[in-house]
Amino acid sequence: MAFFTSSFFLKLSRAAVLVLVFLLPLFVLPFTLEALELAKQTLLVVITCVSALSFGAFIILSRQARVKRGFINILPFFAVAAVAVPAFFSLAPYVSWVGTSRQEYTSVLTVVSCAMLFYLCANLFTDRSTHRTVHGVFLFSAFLTGAIGVCSVLGVFVLPFDFAQAKGINTIGTLSSLVLFLSVASVFLLANWVSHKKGDSLLHDGWMGILERVLIGAVVLMTFFFQMLADDGRLWIVLIAGLGMILSLSCFRLQEFSHKKRLWWIAIFFGMSLIGIINVFVNAY
């Protein structure tokens, strides 16, 4: 029984979240009627519960209630209330509380699981080393997700399942969903790259850091590829807003950027996004 110590459950809780971060964009259940959304909801609920129970065991065994404080902890309560209150008066209770027919992402179960995941991440990943680990895992997952989508568009079907034997199929859902995911991932990863400082950053140093930079570039390229493929002004706006936020914030904290030339790349991507949305409106009218 000495094996099941407080440190063991802490590591198990962190490992569960890392597995979730990596698998959630990629996970599918081909033998179900809903291969994507039901699979992702099941994965989210199961692994979040495992991580939460492990974290609870850590608190009990260590006899230390380590809970990170702050006003931001209130935000998940509003998100849960926004879906839970209408669910009490819903004419379709199962759809509202659990979700079905590709509506799992709007259910109370999914939102509560995401709220639990928020608190777990806030309390399990509290230092630079753990931040680098989870960001690296997310980067590899985003790259694989985009790469599978690119292969599918080109007619190379990586997934061996029947439902995936068609052009444009990806592990996120629709083309718009994939573009939205990659756009948000690109903004987040570019922000990490721009603010990178040797020895104190959200990216690794050494060969791992070089690999992460290469993969960030690949994710950004795939984002623009799918943005042009989708040709949707709303998706371009998401990317423009994210890149614009990085540029705006950098203006106020410019002295903290050790590699200011990297901001020019953000400006270039911002300009390319503006050209993209202008092209959408020109073709529309």
Side-chain angles (χ1 to χ4, degrees):
M1 293 299 293
F3 178 75
F4 296 102
T5 60
S6 60
S7 60
F8 167 78
F9 284 107
L10 179 62
K11 292 177 182 178
L12 178 61
S13 185
R14 281 178 179 160
V17 174
L18 292 175
V19 169
L20 178 62
V21 170
F22 180 78
L23 287 182
L24 194 58
L26 298 166
F27 192 64
V28 296
L29 288 176
F31 51 83
T32 61
L33 294 177
E34 298 176 19
L36 295 176
E37 290 209 15
L38 180 60
K40 296 183 188 305
Q41 185 195 46
T42 303
L43 184 73
L44 173 66
V45 172
V46 171
I47 296 189
T48 301
C49 288
V50 170
S51 181
L53 290 172
S54 300
F55 186 63
F58 161 74
I59 292 175
I60 294 172
L61 292 176
S62 64
R63 299 179 182 178
Q64 296 178 2
R66 298 180 181 179
V67 178
K68 194 172 184 180
R69 299 178 181 180
F71 289 107
I72 196 171
N73 288 335
I74 303 174
L75 296 180
F77 285 102
F78 290 108
V80 172
V83 294
V85 173
F88 280 106
F89 306 97
S90 175
L91 297 177
Y94 184 83
V95 175
S96 299
W97 288 97
V98 180
T100 187
S101 301
R102 298 181 180 178
Q103 296 298 315
E104 287 85 356
Y105 68 96
T106 62
S107 67
V108 177
L109 179 61
T110 299
V111 176
V112 169
S113 299
C114 289
M116 289 175 58
L117 182 61
F118 172 86
Y119 290 120
L120 287 169
C121 290
N123 290 280
L124 291 172
F125 302 94
T126 56
D127 54 66
R128 286 293 194 192
S129 61
T130 54
H131 287 170
R132 280 193 289 267
T133 301
V134 71
H135 291 170
V137 169
F138 174 72
L139 169 58
F140 285 112
S141 179
F143 169 75
L144 289 177
T145 302
I148 291 173
V150 171
C151 290
S152 178
V153 170
L154 298 178
V156 180
F157 306 119
V158 179
L159 300 176
F161 313 121
D162 291 337
F163 81 94
Q165 306 305 305
K167 283 192 175 182
I169 296 296
N170 60 81
T171 59
I172 297 296
T174 63
L175 177 61
S176 297
S177 300
L178 177 62
V179 175
L180 184 61
F181 170 77
L182 289 177
S183 296
V184 174
S186 293
V187 171
F188 173 74
L189 296 171
L190 283 171
N192 287 347
W193 174 66
V194 168
S195 60
H196 173 71
K197 294 180 181 179
K198 188 174 182 179
D200 180 30
S201 176
L202 298 176
L203 297 178
H204 290 85
D205 292 323
W207 67 269
M208 179 62 76
I210 295 174
L211 178 60
E212 287 178 336
R213 291 169 181 79
V214 172
L215 293 182
I216 288 174
V219 171
V220 172
L221 288 176
M222 288 187 290
T223 300
F224 279 98
F225 171 76
F226 283 112
Q227 282 279 10
M228 292 185 289
L229 200 63
D231 200 31
D232 190 329
R234 295 167 297 180
L235 297 174
W236 280 113
I237 289 175
V238 172
L239 185 58
I240 289 171
L243 295 173
M245 223 180 299
I246 296 176
L247 291 173
S248 300
L249 293 174
S250 65
C251 293
F252 296 100
R253 307 293 293 271
L254 188 61
Q255 70 279 2
E256 296 189 14
F257 290 89
S258 57
H259 301 279
K260 297 180 178 60
K261 292 182 179 179
R262 293 177 180 175
L263 292 173
W264 283 107
W265 283 104
I266 306 298
I268 291 171
F269 295 144
F270 184 79
M272 292 171 59
S273 301
L274 288 177
I275 295 173
I277 195 171
I278 290 173
N279 182 64
V280 170
F281 287 117
V282 169
N283 291 337
Y285 299 100

